[in-house]
Amino acid sequence: MNDLVRQHTALSDTDLEWLHLLVSEWQLLSDLSFADLVLWVPTRDGTRYVSVAQMRPNTGPTSYQDDMVGHLVPRGRRPLLDAALDEGRIVREGDPEWREEVPVRVESIPVRREGRILGVIARNTNLLTVRTPSRLELTYLQSASDLAQMIAAGTFPFPGQQVDMDASPRVGDGLIRLDADGVVQYASPNGLSAYHRLGLASDLVGHHLGATTAELAPSRGPVDEALVKVASGYAPREFEVEGAGGVIQLRAIPLKPKGVRIGSLVLLRDVTELRRRERELITKDATIREIHHRVKNNLQTVAALLRLQARRMESERGREALNEAVRRVGSIAIVHETLSQNLDERVEFDEIADRVIAMVAEISPGKVTCRRTGRFGVLDAEVATPLSMVLTEVLQNALEHAFTVAEQGSVEVSAVRGGSSAGSRLLITVTDDGRGLPEGFDPQKAGNLGLQIVRTLVEGELGGTFGMVPAPVRGTQVVLDIPVQNDK
């Protein structure tokens, strides 16, 4: 719609915003009218109309099998459009049109904003299945007529009240028509069923909806007065009411076809099951976070026990092996601690990497500095856990074997993400400026436990590649290439 309006018409950006607001609401008008809606806007030179939006009803057959958006019609070909635009009134004159052997009643509704006519809505009703209307259908049509008059007067849609139609109640979910005092004139079967779910034992017709709703909802003291007013339809609002037996979502729409409120339309939907599932998900998320928290605590306990055992160990090699195990367990604990603070099973790995680097740097034999460049991004838990262990082993190996006790140096961890929309890769390089690799060293055959862990996790669990090569200037460079999901 933006492109069509800017290409063919002279409407301003604020006018375009009004049309967007109208289009976000007009599924309601289409369903109440049992009719297709097409929004026509006059072109910049005033000689034609361009159709910028179209809506089909959910409550009846369509009048248009084809998409009408983008069609251009010369002025004069559709007299009802001309009359509505020139006279600023709803035009219903004329006999039904026949389209592919289907009779269609056509009406034109001017779209007004701040006294100006921006365009015209063509309301097209398929008359092939016309029959004697029921009370529900009569209520629908009367409400549609009131809304059409409000559009023509520029009082609907309501400014600043843009509604998410995917989340809001629809006409078929349940409808209640109120008079000016908030008393129910008509309640659709679905609307009445929703109130029965709240605990209502009688009919709604003749009862004050606000007072009835407040009685069914749990007592909130002073808030009840606000609930009574909102449920009575005095202002455009969307709210939820929870009773003993369920939860209903309501949307109140004041009807002011001639500038004075004559009543209200209340759309409602039973969302009991939806809210129950949401609560189950919240409970599940809380349970998962609690599990991660307890796993983290247990791992820290294991690390503390290993650290205590290492202090009592007389063998230097045994003590060092236990200290390495402490760091491995600690790296896993960091991941679980991060997961315990998230709502999903994805983590921002940069924080984990920084904590792992700080933890491993504590074993530095000399004045070796460690730093990170680049960004790991968000990773799934099944990637983050083994990757934290891999990073721990690689850093530990660099600090233990690349530098002597008194030697100064640096270790840099670099992370780069890239790839296509179908997936991406995470390229990690760990570069030190130490003594370099021994002559004839083959990382794929080295028997070091740490490197065995790295190979197993990278190639087996992460599905990536691992390599160790001489650094460009001095030292050693470890290269890890891992497939990951897109960072969203």
Side-chain angles (χ1 to χ4, degrees):
M1 185 167 74
N2 288 352
D3 293 340
L4 289 171
V5 168
R6 287 168 179 155
Q7 179 181 354
H8 295 284
T9 77
L11 296 184
S12 65
D13 288 341
T14 53
D15 293 334
L16 181 57
E17 288 178 12
W18 183 262
L19 295 185
H20 275 294
L21 189 61
L22 172 65
V23 169
S24 72
E25 294 271 27
W26 73 343
Q27 180 73 65
L28 173 63
L29 178 63
S30 178
D31 290 344
L32 290 173
S33 305
F34 309 98
D36 290 74
L37 305 177
V38 179
L39 177 57
W40 297 93
V41 180
T43 57
R44 189 174 287 105
D45 58 9
T47 61
R48 295 180 295 175
Y49 298 96
V50 57
S51 59
V52 298
Q54 178 180 2
M55 178 58 66
R56 294 184 174 91
N58 294 318
T59 53
T62 182
S63 303
Y64 288 109
Q65 299 299 327
D66 299 326
D67 188 4
M68 294 295 297
V69 175
H71 283 212
L72 289 165
V73 174
R75 185 177 171 87
R77 178 174 296 180
R78 301 197 176 184
L80 296 186
L81 294 181
D82 297 339
L85 183 67
D86 296 339
E87 301 173 22
R89 64 178 180 89
I90 298 175
V91 182
R92 296 189 175 93
E93 296 89 354
D95 297 326
E97 297 181 2
W98 287 83
R99 300 174 186 165
E100 299 179 356
E101 301 184 354
V102 175
V104 177
R105 181 175 64 240
V106 181
E107 304 166 85
S108 295
I109 305 168
V111 177
R112 190 185 304 270
R113 174 181 175 268
E114 296 180 352
R116 295 167 43 247
I117 306 298
L118 306 184
V120 179
I121 295 176
R123 181 162 56 178
N124 304 269
T125 307
N126 187 323
L127 301 178
L128 193 62
T129 58
V130 168
R131 53 184 171 78
T132 303
S134 64
R135 178 74 188 280
L136 180 144
E137 291 167 333
L138 288 173
T139 303
Y140 276 21
L141 292 172
Q142 181 58 53
S143 301
S145 176
D146 293 337
L147 286 176
Q149 292 180 61
M150 292 170 65
I151 292 173
T155 56
F156 186 84
F158 303 108
Q161 292 288 329
Q162 187 162 359
V163 175
D164 181 3
M165 293 305 297
D166 292 332
S168 295
R170 295 178 179 244
V171 169
D173 295 328
L175 177 144
I176 297 175
R177 175 80 186 225
L178 308 178
D179 65 12
D181 296 323
V183 177
V184 178
Q185 293 180 314
Y186 175 79
S188 71
N190 285 345
L192 185 59
S193 296
Y195 266 82
H196 285 166
R197 188 75 177 266
L198 281 183
L200 181 69
S202 62
D203 195 0
L204 271 173
V205 176
H207 290 79
H208 191 279
L209 185 66
T212 302
T213 304
E215 290 174 2
L216 295 172
S219 177
R220 300 185 181 89
V223 183
D224 285 347
E225 296 182 6
L227 179 60
V228 170
K229 190 170 183 179
V230 171
S232 300
Y234 287 100
R237 292 287 186 274
E238 191 168 318
F239 59 101
E240 286 189 6
V241 176
E242 183 171 358
V247 184
I248 60 173
Q249 182 183 16
L250 300 99
R251 182 189 176 199
I253 304 170
L255 297 176
K256 303 176 181 179
K258 296 181 180 180
V260 178
R261 194 176 72 85
I262 63 169
S264 302
L265 195 64
V266 177
L267 304 180
L268 65 157
R269 178 173 58 170
D270 184 349
V271 293
T272 305
E273 290 302 311
L274 179 62
R275 296 297 176 258
R276 183 185 63 80
R277 291 172 186 168
E278 288 178 352
R279 290 185 183 118
E280 287 181 351
L281 286 174
I282 292 172
T283 302
K284 179 182 176 182
D285 289 340
T287 302
I288 292 173
R289 290 200 300 272
E290 178 62 21
I291 290 172
H292 284 304
H293 181 70
R294 295 189 180 188
V295 169
K296 182 263 296 183
N297 288 344
N298 291 338
L299 289 172
Q300 288 180 337
T301 301
V302 171
L305 292 173
L306 290 173
R307 195 177 294 110
L308 183 61
Q309 185 65 40
R311 290 171 184 169
R312 295 172 177 267
M313 183 72 66
E314 296 182 359
S315 169
E316 183 65 29
R317 292 186 61 186
R319 187 183 304 113
E320 184 55 38
L322 287 175
N323 286 331
E324 289 182 2
V326 168
R327 288 187 287 272
R328 289 166 185 151
V329 173
S331 66
I332 302 174
I334 290 172
V335 176
H336 283 282
E337 181 179 3
T338 305
L339 287 169
S340 70
Q341 300 168 0
N342 290 351
L343 294 176
D344 54 19
E345 291 291 288
R346 308 195 77 196
V347 296
E348 181 66 56
F349 197 81
D350 293 328
E351 178 187 349
I352 294 175
D354 291 340
R355 293 180 63 180
V356 167
I357 291 171
M359 177 184 68
V360 177
E362 294 176 358
I363 69 166
S364 174
K367 297 180 180 180
V368 179
T369 59
C370 299
R371 67 189 184 98
R372 172 180 63 86
T373 61
R375 182 173 178 271
F376 287 86
V378 178
L379 298 177
D380 293 333
E382 56 264 29
V383 174
T385 301
L387 183 57
S388 67
M389 286 194 65
V390 168
L391 190 58
T392 300
E393 295 299 333
V394 172
L395 287 170
Q396 200 165 264
N397 186 74
L399 291 173
E400 287 182 357
H401 301 293
F403 305 99
T404 61
V405 174
E407 191 174 4
Q408 293 185 352
S410 64
V411 178
E412 180 180 299
V413 179
S414 171
V416 178
R417 289 186 78 143
S420 63
S421 59
S424 62
R425 312 285 300 186
L426 176 59
L427 182 64
I428 305 167
T429 58
V430 180
T431 307
D432 67 70
D433 55 2
R435 68 187 69 176
L437 295 172
E439 189 71 26
F441 179 81
D442 185 353
Q444 300 299 326
K445 298 179 180 179
N448 180 287
L449 175 61
L451 293 181
Q452 289 181 10
I453 292 174
V454 171
R455 284 199 303 269
T456 301
L457 292 177
V458 172
E459 297 173 359
E461 194 162 339
L462 296 174
T465 60
F466 158 69
M468 290 183 73
V469 296
V473 179
R474 177 190 175 192
T476 305
Q477 187 173 74
V478 176
V479 182
L480 308 171
D481 189 356
I482 300 169
V484 293
Q485 291 187 2
N486 287 328
D487 186 1
K488 293 183 179 177

